[in-house]
Amino acid sequence: MAPRTHIAVLGGGISGLSTAWYLAKTAPANVKITLIEGTKRTGGWLHSDRVADPLHPNGKGSVLLERGPRSLRPQGISGLNTLEMVRDLGLDSKIEPVSKTSPAAMNRYIYSHKTLHKLPSSIMGALTHPLLAAKIPRAGLDLVKGGSGQEDESIQDFVTRRFGKGFSDDLISAMVHGIYAGDVSKLSVRSTFGMLYHMEKDYGSIVLGMLLGGGAVDTPWDLTLKEKIVKEMPDLQEFVNKTSIYSFTDGLEELSRSLEKDLVKGGRVDIHKDSV
């Protein structure tokens, strides 16, 4: 009989829940899995609230509020992998997609210096944009700066070094808050924007890397996994091709709630909340 192994997953956010879920599906029977969460709820940054709409004509309407991330992107191997998880959890019918042709997908805004700025959709638009035009000459140094030789650094340090402090403070910080609800001075650029990290390593320039189509970080395992998912669920690729972002009927927290519910139902994972 194989010796018993005990795996502890620290943190019940989306990363911890996903890790425990995959372990429950793939780990040998002799593995005991425990998830430990320090607060009274799982989900971490995923926190959705549906509240009554006082302005609704018949008083039965509601508004969905997201305290953290509000959408998922279906692109890439991680996007396909997440969609496979969503399907396994039975959340297909609750997906709320935003198509790539939707105004919500085609128009992006940033609130900076007490003004709401619509981001340009072309290079010419960027050259005359009030928020970007003055920053472009400094950003051009990216073409001649070369690599830093560092194994990793914060997103803020990386972007400031390559494109200038203005790009980091006014653009990237806002974008990262929207994606990760995190601090650019603390998040790893290699972990969050691996493509940019590899462009600098391979080409010495982000702009040059983009022009030459570089930055791919898919491993042979990633490609094998993608092939498996597309073969088993061919309609997912069609969904990816036409969808910009998506969420769920009752918000992104539906994903973490469903993961926890499935873990409890499966019986392989012990979940301890409010534990320090």
Side-chain angles (χ1 to χ4, degrees):
M1 183 176 181
R4 190 165 176 78
T5 301
H6 192 173
I7 298 178
V9 178
L10 304 182
I14 188 61
S15 296
L17 287 168
S18 300
T19 299
W21 189 75
Y22 280 113
L23 282 171
K25 290 182 64 175
T26 60
N30 67 307
V31 175
K32 176 181 173 61
I33 308 164
T34 301
L35 185 145
I36 302 172
E37 166 58 37
T39 68
K40 297 180 184 295
R41 57 176 290 276
T42 61
W45 286 103
L46 302 189
H47 203 154
S48 312
D49 293 316
R50 186 169 289 283
V51 299
D53 178 6
L55 301 180
H56 195 274
N58 61 17
K60 296 181 179 180
S62 63
V63 176
L64 178 66
L65 302 176
E66 294 283 16
R67 301 193 195 187
R70 63 189 182 279
S71 61
L72 295 169
R73 292 180 62 83
Q75 284 74 29
I77 182 59
S78 59
L80 275 174
N81 210 23
T82 302
L83 283 168
E84 182 186 40
M85 171 192 284
V86 167
R87 178 160 293 182
D88 286 349
L89 292 170
L91 288 173
D92 300 53
S93 62
K94 296 185 177 182
I95 289 180
E96 299 287 349
V98 175
S99 73
K100 289 182 178 179
T101 57
S102 165
M106 299 176 70
N107 298 304
R108 295 284 188 267
Y109 296 85
I110 284 183
Y111 183 76
S112 179
H113 305 293
K114 298 182 179 180
T115 302
L116 188 65
H117 299 270
K118 180 181 178 182
L119 294 180
S121 56
S122 67
I123 295 177
M124 289 305 297
L127 293 174
T128 58
H129 193 278
L131 190 61
L132 300 178
K135 300 176 176 64
I136 289 177
R138 167 60 182 84
L141 292 178
D142 168 76
L143 289 166
V144 297
K145 287 187 71 67
S148 70
Q150 299 184 66
E151 285 303 311
D152 201 1
E153 59 190 308
S154 70
I155 298 173
Q156 183 181 64
D157 289 344
F158 181 89
V159 174
T160 298
R161 178 168 55 77
R162 299 220 62 88
F163 300 105
K165 192 173 185 298
F167 259 93
S168 176
D169 291 351
D170 293 341
L171 296 173
I172 304 303
S173 178
M175 181 182 74
V176 171
H177 273 86
I179 298 172
Y180 294 102
D183 187 341
V184 290
S185 69
K186 298 178 180 178
L187 290 172
S188 154
V189 70
R190 187 171 183 177
S191 297
T192 53
F193 294 100
M195 183 175 70
L196 301 184
Y197 170 85
H198 285 281
M199 282 182 180
E200 181 182 69
K201 288 287 186 184
D202 297 340
Y203 300 93
S205 163
I206 307 304
V207 174
L208 186 60
M210 288 181 172
L211 291 175
L212 296 177
V217 293
D218 287 345
T219 65
W221 167 249
D222 290 332
L223 297 175
T224 300
L225 182 59
K226 179 179 180 179
E227 183 180 344
K228 170 183 173 292
I229 294 173
V230 171
K231 184 177 180 179
E232 294 177 355
M233 305 176 182
D235 57 311
L236 289 187
Q237 188 61 58
E238 182 182 351
F239 177 85
V240 170
N241 292 340
K242 66 182 183 182
T243 303
S244 174
I245 56 175
Y246 67 97
S247 185
F248 304 99
T249 305
D250 285 315
L252 216 53
E253 194 179 352
E254 281 210 62
L255 180 57
S256 56
R257 292 193 197 108
S258 295
L259 281 168
E260 180 180 358
K261 183 178 178 180
D262 200 61
L263 290 175
V264 172
K265 181 181 178 181
R268 286 209 62 187
V269 180
D270 293 327
I271 301 177
H272 297 274
K273 302 177 188 177
D274 201 17
S275 300
V276 180

XYZ file of all heavy atoms in Angstrom, residues 154-237:
650
model
N 9.168 43.954 -10.994
C 7.756 44.322 -10.936
C 7.303 44.866 -12.288
O 8.121 45.310 -13.109
C 7.526 45.385 -9.857
O 8.086 46.628 -10.252
N 5.989 44.842 -12.521
C 5.445 45.411 -13.752
C 5.820 46.884 -13.849
O 6.199 47.384 -14.913
C 3.914 45.255 -13.794
C 3.520 43.785 -13.775
C 3.336 45.934 -15.033
C 2.020 43.550 -13.632
N 5.720 47.578 -12.729
C 6.030 49.017 -12.711
C 7.472 49.282 -13.127
O 7.723 50.152 -13.977
C 5.786 49.575 -11.304
C 6.016 51.073 -11.185
C 5.783 51.572 -9.774
O 6.509 51.181 -8.857
N 4.760 52.369 -9.590
N 8.412 48.543 -12.561
C 9.821 48.755 -12.896
C 10.092 48.420 -14.361
O 10.834 49.135 -15.050
C 10.715 47.898 -11.999
C 10.755 48.399 -10.561
O 10.352 49.561 -10.329
O 11.176 47.632 -9.681
N 9.481 47.348 -14.838
C 9.685 46.927 -16.224
C 9.175 47.979 -17.201
O 9.887 48.391 -18.127
C 8.972 45.590 -16.448
C 9.113 45.025 -17.835
C 10.175 44.201 -18.148
C 8.176 45.322 -18.823
C 10.312 43.661 -19.434
C 8.300 44.793 -20.106
C 9.377 43.964 -20.408
N 7.934 48.421 -17.017
C 7.330 49.380 -17.945
C 8.022 50.738 -17.853
O 8.268 51.396 -18.875
C 5.817 49.525 -17.671
C 5.212 50.624 -18.535
C 5.103 48.203 -17.925
N 8.355 51.169 -16.641
C 9.047 52.452 -16.474
C 10.401 52.428 -17.164
O 10.793 53.387 -17.842
C 9.231 52.766 -14.979
O 7.950 52.879 -14.356
C 9.993 54.068 -14.789
N 11.119 51.338 -17.009
C 12.442 51.208 -17.628
C 12.356 51.223 -19.148
O 13.199 51.817 -19.825
C 13.093 49.910 -17.128
C 14.465 49.610 -17.717
C 15.153 48.483 -16.965
N 14.339 47.275 -16.915
C 14.185 46.433 -17.929
N 14.763 46.672 -19.087
N 13.446 45.338 -17.787
N 11.326 50.600 -19.706
C 11.250 50.480 -21.159
C 10.510 51.649 -21.812
O 10.867 52.094 -22.906
C 10.572 49.165 -21.553
C 11.304 47.915 -21.074
C 11.279 46.840 -22.126
N 11.945 47.252 -23.347
C 13.261 47.098 -23.579
N 14.035 46.539 -22.672
N 13.780 47.502 -24.728
N 9.434 52.133 -21.185
C 8.574 53.117 -21.837
C 8.443 54.440 -21.086
O 7.848 55.372 -21.614
C 7.179 52.528 -22.049
C 7.165 51.298 -22.901
C 6.979 50.055 -22.342
C 7.357 51.388 -24.267
C 6.974 48.910 -23.123
C 7.348 50.261 -25.067
C 7.163 49.013 -24.497
N 8.918 54.503 -19.850
C 8.809 55.742 -19.093
C 7.776 55.677 -17.985
O 6.840 54.874 -18.037
N 7.948 56.537 -16.995
C 7.069 56.545 -15.829
C 5.627 56.908 -16.198
O 4.676 56.418 -15.592
C 7.600 57.524 -14.788
C 6.947 57.417 -13.423
C 7.668 58.300 -12.417
C 7.103 58.110 -11.013
N 5.685 58.477 -10.901
N 5.457 57.778 -17.194
C 4.113 58.188 -17.600
C 3.276 57.014 -18.081
O 2.102 56.892 -17.724
N 3.854 56.141 -18.895
C 3.136 54.968 -19.363
C 2.753 54.067 -18.199
O 1.642 53.532 -18.143
C 3.994 54.181 -20.368
C 3.615 54.425 -21.794
C 4.253 55.408 -22.534
C 2.621 53.678 -22.401
C 3.899 55.648 -23.848
C 2.266 53.908 -23.717
C 2.899 54.890 -24.453
N 3.674 53.905 -17.277
C 3.414 53.025 -16.138
C 2.309 53.578 -15.245
O 1.372 52.862 -14.881
C 4.696 52.849 -15.321
O 4.449 52.074 -14.162
N 2.397 54.860 -14.916
C 1.450 55.464 -13.970
C 0.065 55.693 -14.580
O -0.954 55.439 -13.923
C 1.997 56.800 -13.461
C 3.213 56.630 -12.563
O 3.514 55.475 -12.206
O 3.862 57.638 -12.241
N 0.014 56.178 -15.813
C -1.268 56.599 -16.396
C -1.994 55.495 -17.163
O -3.216 55.536 -17.288
C -1.052 57.788 -17.341
C -0.613 59.039 -16.597
O -0.818 59.087 -15.375
O -0.057 59.947 -17.238
N -1.272 54.527 -17.677
C -1.897 53.514 -18.520
C -1.837 52.111 -17.923
O -2.869 51.482 -17.684
C -1.237 53.509 -19.908
C -1.406 54.779 -20.738
C -0.558 54.693 -21.994
C -2.861 54.976 -21.102
N -0.635 51.633 -17.684
C -0.469 50.242 -17.262
C -1.048 50.005 -15.879
O -1.680 48.969 -15.625
C 1.014 49.837 -17.299
C 1.582 50.075 -18.699
C 1.176 48.375 -16.900
C 0.834 49.356 -19.808
N -0.873 50.951 -14.978
C -1.415 50.792 -13.627
C -2.924 50.602 -13.669
O -3.479 49.707 -13.023
C -1.057 52.000 -12.758
O -1.610 51.870 -11.470
N -3.613 51.437 -14.455
C -5.076 51.329 -14.574
C -5.480 50.005 -15.205
O -6.425 49.346 -14.747
C -5.611 52.495 -15.404
N -4.758 49.596 -16.243
C -5.079 48.340 -16.924
C -4.905 47.144 -15.983
O -5.764 46.258 -15.919
C -4.179 48.165 -18.145
C -4.466 46.903 -18.934
S -3.352 46.698 -20.339
C -1.848 46.207 -19.485
N -3.805 47.130 -15.237
C -3.524 46.011 -14.332
C -4.531 45.959 -13.192
O -4.940 44.874 -12.760
C -2.080 46.100 -13.799
C -1.840 45.083 -12.683
C -1.090 45.864 -14.931
N -4.963 47.116 -12.703
C -6.000 47.126 -11.670
C -7.282 46.488 -12.191
O -7.982 45.783 -11.461
C -6.278 48.559 -11.198
C -5.392 49.023 -10.098
N -4.154 49.577 -10.328
C -5.537 48.979 -8.756
C -3.590 49.887 -9.174
N -4.395 49.522 -8.204
N -7.587 46.751 -13.464
C -8.789 46.174 -14.046
C -8.699 44.681 -14.248
O -9.691 43.965 -14.118
N -7.489 44.178 -14.564
C -7.309 42.756 -14.832
C -7.097 41.966 -13.549
O -7.746 40.946 -13.305
C -6.114 42.529 -15.779
C -6.364 43.209 -17.130
C -5.860 41.032 -15.970
C -5.161 43.197 -18.041
N -6.163 42.435 -12.722
C -5.752 41.664 -11.551
C -6.220 42.243 -10.218
O -6.048 41.592 -9.185
C -4.221 41.558 -11.500
C -3.634 40.752 -12.632
C -3.042 41.375 -13.727
C -3.675 39.369 -12.610
C -2.493 40.640 -14.769
C -3.133 38.612 -13.645
C -2.546 39.256 -14.719
O -2.019 38.522 -15.753
N -6.773 43.467 -10.244
C -7.103 44.167 -9.000
C -5.881 44.175 -8.092
O -5.971 43.965 -6.888
C -8.288 43.498 -8.288
N -4.708 44.394 -8.711
C -3.449 44.332 -7.966
C -2.590 45.566 -8.181
O -2.906 46.451 -8.978
N -1.468 45.609 -7.484
C -0.545 46.735 -7.463
C 0.608 46.465 -8.424
O 1.326 45.471 -8.281
C -0.021 46.921 -6.036
C 0.822 48.169 -5.862
O 1.320 48.705 -6.869
O 0.997 48.608 -4.713
N 0.817 47.350 -9.411
C 1.877 47.137 -10.400
C 3.263 47.150 -9.776
O 4.203 46.607 -10.351
C 1.821 48.198 -11.527
C 0.614 47.998 -12.407
C 1.857 49.609 -10.954
N 3.407 47.761 -8.605
C 4.721 47.804 -7.959
C 5.046 46.502 -7.236
O 6.178 46.298 -6.795
C 4.784 48.971 -6.962
O 3.944 48.735 -5.847
N 4.050 45.608 -7.132
C 4.260 44.351 -6.413
C 4.092 43.103 -7.280
O 4.588 42.034 -6.942
C 3.293 44.276 -5.227
C 3.513 45.378 -4.197
C 2.497 45.291 -3.070
C 2.724 46.406 -2.048
N 1.714 46.381 -0.965
N 3.379 43.228 -8.395
C 3.137 42.070 -9.254
C 4.327 41.805 -10.166
O 4.930 42.724 -10.719
C 1.890 42.292 -10.105
C 0.554 42.290 -9.358
C -0.571 42.710 -10.304
C 0.258 40.917 -8.784
N 4.663 40.538 -10.349
C 5.775 40.111 -11.189
C 5.420 40.240 -12.664
O 4.391 39.739 -13.116
C 6.126 38.651 -10.869
O 6.739 38.009 -11.963
N 6.292 40.886 -13.445
C 6.038 41.012 -14.875
C 6.190 39.661 -15.565
O 5.475 39.351 -16.524
C 6.981 42.061 -15.515
C 8.425 41.572 -15.571
C 6.492 42.428 -16.918
N 7.076 38.823 -15.069
C 7.293 37.519 -15.696
C 6.075 36.610 -15.513
O 5.734 35.835 -16.406
C 8.538 36.862 -15.110
C 8.944 35.582 -15.823
C 10.287 35.079 -15.364
N 10.701 33.904 -16.098
C 11.864 33.280 -15.943
N 12.744 33.757 -15.058
N 12.154 32.206 -16.648
N 5.418 36.723 -14.361
C 4.256 35.886 -14.086
C 2.991 36.399 -14.764
O 2.155 35.606 -15.203
C 4.015 35.803 -12.567
O 5.107 35.194 -11.920
N 2.845 37.712 -14.849
C 1.600 38.283 -15.359
C 1.646 38.620 -16.852
O 0.645 38.484 -17.554
C 1.230 39.564 -14.588
O 2.358 40.456 -14.621
C 0.887 39.250 -13.139
N 2.797 39.079 -17.328
C 2.948 39.441 -18.738
C 4.180 38.751 -19.310
O 5.132 39.393 -19.764
C 3.056 40.959 -18.895
C 1.804 41.699 -18.519
C 1.676 42.312 -17.284
C 0.730 41.751 -19.399
C 0.507 42.971 -16.936
C -0.443 42.412 -19.054
C -0.558 43.019 -17.816
N 4.129 37.415 -19.266
C 5.257 36.615 -19.721
C 5.650 36.899 -21.163
O 6.834 36.842 -21.518
N 4.676 37.224 -22.011
C 4.966 37.509 -23.408
C 5.906 38.710 -23.532
O 6.869 38.689 -24.303
C 3.678 37.770 -24.178
C 3.886 37.999 -25.657
S 2.343 38.166 -26.587
C 1.775 39.758 -25.985
N 5.649 39.782 -22.760
C 6.509 40.968 -22.810
C 7.897 40.649 -22.279
O 8.912 41.113 -22.822
C 5.876 42.104 -22.001
C 4.487 42.572 -22.438
C 4.052 43.768 -21.594
C 4.469 42.924 -23.917
N 7.941 39.872 -21.208
C 9.222 39.468 -20.626
C 10.069 38.740 -21.673
O 11.264 39.020 -21.837
C 8.972 38.567 -19.415
C 10.210 37.901 -18.869
C 11.033 38.554 -17.953
C 10.554 36.611 -19.264
C 12.170 37.942 -17.451
C 11.683 35.982 -18.768
C 12.496 36.655 -17.862
O 13.625 36.037 -17.371
N 9.463 37.800 -22.411
C 10.197 37.023 -23.398
C 10.551 37.848 -24.633
O 11.573 37.597 -25.280
C 9.404 35.779 -23.791
C 9.417 34.716 -22.741
N 10.487 33.873 -22.563
C 8.518 34.380 -21.787
C 10.247 33.047 -21.557
N 9.053 33.333 -21.065
N 9.734 38.843 -24.968
C 10.090 39.726 -26.075
C 11.376 40.482 -25.769
O 12.241 40.637 -26.632
C 8.953 40.711 -26.350
C 7.789 40.128 -27.123
S 6.538 41.390 -27.449
C 5.319 40.420 -28.337
N 11.493 40.966 -24.534
C 12.715 41.677 -24.167
C 13.910 40.737 -24.203
O 14.985 41.096 -24.700
C 12.588 42.291 -22.768
C 13.844 43.052 -22.361
C 13.766 43.633 -20.955
O 13.777 42.834 -19.988
O 13.725 44.868 -20.825
N 13.732 39.517 -23.698
C 14.819 38.545 -23.682
C 15.256 38.172 -25.102
O 16.452 38.059 -25.390
C 14.373 37.278 -22.939
C 14.247 37.432 -21.435
C 15.612 37.516 -20.784
C 15.493 37.523 -19.260
N 16.815 37.693 -18.604
N 14.286 37.975 -25.985
C 14.585 37.460 -27.324
C 14.962 38.544 -28.330
O 15.766 38.299 -29.238
C 13.383 36.679 -27.861
C 13.069 35.444 -27.022
O 13.964 34.978 -26.295
O 11.922 34.954 -27.096
N 14.352 39.742 -28.188
C 14.553 40.778 -29.200
C 15.203 42.055 -28.652
O 15.590 42.918 -29.432
C 13.219 41.148 -29.854
C 12.550 39.981 -30.547
C 11.609 39.199 -29.879
C 12.863 39.650 -31.867
C 10.991 38.125 -30.507
C 12.247 38.579 -32.504
C 11.315 37.816 -31.821
O 10.715 36.749 -32.439
N 15.269 42.187 -27.335
C 15.825 43.405 -26.749
C 14.891 44.589 -26.851
O 15.246 45.715 -26.490
N 13.664 44.374 -27.338
C 12.696 45.451 -27.525
C 11.290 44.872 -27.594
O 11.071 43.870 -28.286
C 12.994 46.217 -28.816
O 11.884 46.994 -29.228
N 10.357 45.508 -26.903
C 8.957 45.059 -26.955
C 8.353 45.388 -28.316
O 7.677 44.569 -28.933
C 8.125 45.725 -25.834
C 8.790 45.526 -24.466
C 6.708 45.165 -25.826
C 9.052 44.091 -24.107
N 8.613 46.608 -28.797
C 8.063 47.035 -30.086
C 8.568 46.140 -31.208
O 7.794 45.665 -32.056
C 8.426 48.511 -30.369
C 7.982 48.910 -31.773
C 7.793 49.426 -29.321
N 9.870 45.868 -31.226
C 10.451 45.021 -32.259
C 9.893 43.603 -32.170
O 9.593 42.972 -33.186
C 11.972 44.993 -32.117
C 12.747 44.261 -33.227
C 12.470 44.913 -34.576
C 14.247 44.279 -32.919
N 9.733 43.116 -30.938
C 9.176 41.777 -30.746
C 7.765 41.672 -31.297
O 7.402 40.672 -31.923
N 6.954 42.728 -31.072
C 5.585 42.720 -31.598
C 5.573 42.755 -33.126
O 4.806 42.052 -33.775
C 4.813 43.922 -31.048
C 4.453 43.806 -29.579
S 3.510 45.232 -28.997
C 3.041 44.677 -27.351
N 6.459 43.573 -33.712
C 6.518 43.685 -35.162
C 6.940 42.370 -35.810
O 6.509 42.041 -36.918
C 7.489 44.805 -35.562
C 7.053 46.232 -35.230
C 8.168 47.210 -35.560
C 5.780 46.603 -36.000
N 7.776 41.604 -35.115
C 8.281 40.350 -35.663
C 7.475 39.141 -35.212
O 7.834 37.996 -35.496
C 9.751 40.165 -35.269
C 10.721 41.216 -35.837
C 12.129 40.985 -35.322
C 10.702 41.183 -37.365
N 6.390 39.412 -34.461
C 5.508 38.326 -34.051
C 6.083 37.424 -32.982
O 5.752 36.237 -32.912
N 6.935 37.982 -32.133
C 7.573 37.177 -31.088
C 6.798 37.175 -29.790
O 5.680 37.687 -29.697
N 7.393 36.570 -28.776
C 6.828 36.582 -27.435
C 6.003 35.379 -27.068
O 5.478 35.299 -25.964
N 5.857 34.413 -27.976
C 5.050 33.232 -27.648
C 5.699 32.447 -26.518
O 6.909 32.218 -26.523
C 4.907 32.343 -28.881
N 4.900 32.063 -25.533
C 5.439 31.351 -24.377
C 4.766 29.986 -24.198
O 4.909 29.358 -23.164
C 5.273 32.190 -23.078
C 6.139 33.417 -23.129
C 3.803 32.580 -22.866
N 4.044 29.537 -25.227
C 3.387 28.232 -25.144
C 4.436 27.126 -25.145
O 5.304 27.068 -26.026
C 2.445 28.020 -26.331
C 1.188 28.869 -26.224
O 0.927 29.381 -25.127
O 0.485 29.022 -27.233
N 4.365 26.249 -24.172
C 5.267 25.108 -24.082
C 4.678 23.943 -24.877
O 3.496 23.976 -25.253
C 5.443 24.684 -22.620
O 4.173 24.203 -22.129
C 5.905 25.855 -21.759
N 5.472 22.904 -25.142
C 4.913 21.718 -25.806
C 3.706 21.157 -25.053
O 2.738 20.680 -25.672
C 6.089 20.739 -25.805
C 7.300 21.625 -25.852
C 6.935 22.808 -24.997
N 3.740 21.222 -23.711
C 2.612 20.756 -22.913
C 1.380 21.626 -23.168
O 0.257 21.118 -23.280
C 2.964 20.752 -21.435
C 1.782 20.576 -20.535
C 1.246 21.503 -19.689
C 0.947 19.416 -20.407
N 0.145 21.009 -19.046
C -0.067 19.728 -19.463
C 0.949 18.165 -21.008
C -1.050 18.817 -19.111
C -0.041 17.254 -20.644
C -1.024 17.585 -19.710
N 1.592 22.951 -23.278
C 0.474 23.856 -23.567
C -0.185 23.490 -24.898
O -1.416 23.431 -25.004
C 0.966 25.311 -23.646
C 1.391 25.868 -22.306
O 0.857 25.403 -21.285
O 2.256 26.761 -22.285
N 0.630 23.251 -25.902
C 0.097 22.940 -27.231
C -0.640 21.604 -27.243
O -1.682 21.464 -27.902
C 1.247 22.914 -28.242
C 1.986 24.261 -28.427
C 3.169 24.100 -29.359
C 1.039 25.333 -28.941
N -0.101 20.634 -26.481
C -0.769 19.330 -26.389
C -2.121 19.463 -25.696
O -3.126 18.877 -26.121
C 0.113 18.330 -25.614
O 1.355 18.175 -26.294
C -0.577 16.968 -25.496
N -2.144 20.271 -24.614
C -3.388 20.486 -23.873
C -4.419 21.198 -24.735
O -5.606 20.841 -24.744
C -3.103 21.298 -22.606
C -4.291 21.580 -21.678
C -4.915 20.271 -21.190
C -3.839 22.425 -20.484
N -3.968 22.216 -25.495
C -4.870 22.944 -26.382
C -5.477 21.999 -27.420
O -6.687 22.026 -27.681
C -4.127 24.082 -27.078
C -4.998 24.870 -28.051
C -4.222 26.000 -28.701
C -5.108 26.766 -29.676
N -4.385 27.883 -30.319
N -4.631 21.151 -28.017
C -5.104 20.196 -29.021
C -6.147 19.254 -28.431
O -7.166 18.948 -29.068
C -3.917 19.402 -29.564
C -4.279 18.428 -30.675
C -3.070 17.662 -31.184
O -1.931 18.086 -30.906
O -3.269 16.631 -31.860
N -5.918 18.809 -27.195
C -6.848 17.897 -26.520
C -8.202 18.569 -26.288
O -9.253 17.994 -26.573
C -6.250 17.452 -25.190
C -7.216 16.691 -24.279
C -6.552 16.371 -22.955
C -7.546 15.772 -21.960
N -8.556 16.751 -21.518
N -8.180 19.804 -25.783
C -9.427 20.507 -25.470
C -10.222 20.782 -26.740
O -11.438 20.566 -26.792
C -9.119 21.830 -24.728
C -8.505 21.544 -23.348
C -10.396 22.651 -24.552
C -8.022 22.785 -22.618
N -9.540 21.269 -27.781
C -10.228 21.604 -29.029
C -10.807 20.348 -29.684
O -11.903 20.377 -30.260
C -9.261 22.322 -30.000
C -9.891 22.487 -31.372
C -8.864 23.676 -29.433
N -10.093 19.229 -29.566
C -10.583 17.977 -30.149
C -11.826 17.483 -29.424
O -12.788 17.027 -30.048
C -9.482 16.916 -30.083
C -9.860 15.600 -30.739
C -8.703 14.610 -30.700
C -9.094 13.283 -31.356
N -7.970 12.309 -31.343
N -11.807 17.591 -28.085
C -12.931 17.102 -27.286
C -14.109 18.071 -27.291
O -15.266 17.658 -27.181
C -12.472 16.841 -25.853
C -11.466 15.696 -25.720
C -10.984 15.514 -24.294
O -11.361 16.347 -23.423
O -10.237 14.554 -24.044
N -13.826 19.367 -27.396
C -14.876 20.386 -27.342
C -14.650 21.405 -28.455
O -14.273 22.548 -28.204
C -14.871 21.082 -25.978
C -14.996 20.142 -24.803
S -14.853 21.010 -23.205
C -14.976 19.643 -22.053
N -14.861 21.018 -29.712
C -14.557 21.903 -30.849
C -15.310 23.224 -30.838
O -14.842 24.226 -31.383
C -14.944 21.043 -32.071
C -15.867 19.994 -31.549
C -15.414 19.722 -30.152
N -16.478 23.259 -30.222
C -17.259 24.496 -30.194
C -16.610 25.577 -29.329
O -16.917 26.763 -29.480
C -18.680 24.222 -29.695
C -18.694 23.579 -28.316
O -17.960 22.582 -28.120
O -19.417 24.065 -27.435
N -15.708 25.171 -28.419
C -15.043 26.161 -27.574
C -14.171 27.091 -28.401
O -14.089 28.290 -28.115
C -14.188 25.467 -26.501
C -14.926 24.759 -25.366
C -13.937 24.287 -24.312
C -15.972 25.666 -24.730
N -13.505 26.552 -29.431
C -12.653 27.383 -30.280
C -13.486 28.429 -31.014
O -13.067 29.573 -31.184
C -11.888 26.523 -31.272
C -10.833 27.289 -32.064
C -9.763 27.891 -31.180
O -9.077 27.190 -30.441
N -9.619 29.207 -31.235
